[in-house]
């Protein structure tokens, strides 16, 4: 089964903690992306990576960090510096078309 | 304002056609996409159109592109209750290296 997996589906975090969201793809795509979705808004790009060991900031990178050590994996860390982290996080990968994972809902308690 | 704009809500009766509209501002857009999102789920790619095309049809879905007015529409024929979802349009700009810019989404509600 080809696709993109994200884990966990739901994540709860206390204020001041860092958390890491997992994203894995077996589509052999070079490019991967992280988006944040808030109610009533479109998706906003956090980070993207065109190739292994390289990544660029998107429109709202502050308070987030990523790594791309393997082609299949693009984990996102939400740091304590992110002031309003409660949101739905979507990972995607692409060749010509961009495909999305099922998302992780992060809630800060 | 938003680079890609959509109306927020659309309500139709089951069996009617739905038309979801989108406007964009970047004339360098190469591909334009329509995605569907059901509650609590990721985005599902429905269809896309290359910027040198005017129309694309795929079963119940018809995409129309007016490049002069930078207007994109998605028509769903014979709308069903299972079509109730949020629909996003997105543009891929010429120099964006695959990045997409999304509209804020249109919530489609289909009534029996």
């Amino acid at each position: 089964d080809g696709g993109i997996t994200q884990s966990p589906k739901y994540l709860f975090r206390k204020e001041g903690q860092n958390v890491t969201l997992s994203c894995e793809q077996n589509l052999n795509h070079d490019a991967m992306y992280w988006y944040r979705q808030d109610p009533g808004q479109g998706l906003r790009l956090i980070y993207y990576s065109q190739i292994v060991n390289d990544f660029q900031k998107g429109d709202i990178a502050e308070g987030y960090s990523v790594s791309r050590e393997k082609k299949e994996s693009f984990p996102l860390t939400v740091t304590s510096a992110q002031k309003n982290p409660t949101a739905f996080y979507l990972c995607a990968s692409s060749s010509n078309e961009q495909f999305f994972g099922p998302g992780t809902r992060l809630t800060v308690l | 304002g938003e680079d890609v704009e959509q109306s927020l809500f659309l309500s139709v009766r089951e069996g009617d056609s739905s038309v979801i509209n989108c406007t964009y501002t970047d004339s360098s857009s190469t591909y334009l996409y329509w995605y569907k999102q059901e509650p609590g789920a990721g985005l599902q790619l429905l269809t896309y159109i290359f910027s040198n095309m005017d129309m694309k049809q795929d079963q119940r879905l018809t995409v129309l592109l007016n490049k002069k007015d930078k207007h994109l529409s998605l028509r769903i024929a014979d709308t069903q209750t299972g079509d109730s979802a949020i629909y996003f349009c997105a543009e891929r700009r010429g120099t964006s290296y695959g990045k997409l810019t999304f509209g804020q989404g249109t919530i489609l509600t289909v009534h029996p």
Side-chain angles (χ1 to χ4, degrees), chain B residues 30-87:
Chain B
T30 54
Y31 288 89
L32 294 138
Y33 301 83
W34 283 105
Y35 285 88
K36 175 183 180 182
Q37 185 181 35
E38 297 183 359
L43 273 66
Q44 173 194 353
L45 178 63
L46 288 178
T47 187
Y48 64 95
I49 188 167
F50 189 53
S51 58
N52 68 352
M53 299 169 63
D54 297 324
M55 184 182 85
K56 181 178 180 182
Q57 188 156 0
D58 184 0
Q59 299 182 344
R60 292 191 297 123
L61 305 179
T62 302
V63 179
L64 294 178
L65 176 60
N66 181 328
K67 283 189 67 177
K68 174 176 173 289
D69 295 337
K70 297 187 180 66
H71 182 266
L72 180 73
S73 68
L74 173 70
R75 179 178 180 269
I76 306 172
D78 187 25
T79 312
Q80 303 297 307
T81 54
D83 294 324
S84 294
I86 304 175
Y87 290 80

Side-chain angles (χ1 to χ4, degrees), chain A residues 1-5 24-29 72 93:
Chain A
D1 248 353
I4 303 171
T5 58
E24 304 278 333
Q25 55 101 358
N26 61 5
L27 301 169
N28 201 34
H29 289 163
E72 301 79 17
S93 69

Side-chain angles (χ1 to χ4, degrees), chain A residues 1-7 22-29 31-34 72-74 89-95 97-103, chain B residues 35 42-43:
Chain A
D1 248 353
I4 303 171
T5 58
Q6 292 185 241
S7 61
S22 168
C23 178
E24 304 278 333
Q25 55 101 358
N26 61 5
L27 301 169
N28 201 34
H29 289 163
M32 296 187 74
Y33 310 82
W34 274 105
E72 301 79 17
S73 180
F74 191 40
Y89 291 88
L90 287 159
C91 176
S93 69
S94 74
S95 52
E97 299 149 16
Q98 198 163 120
F99 297 97
F100 284 80
Chain B
Y35 285 88
L43 273 66

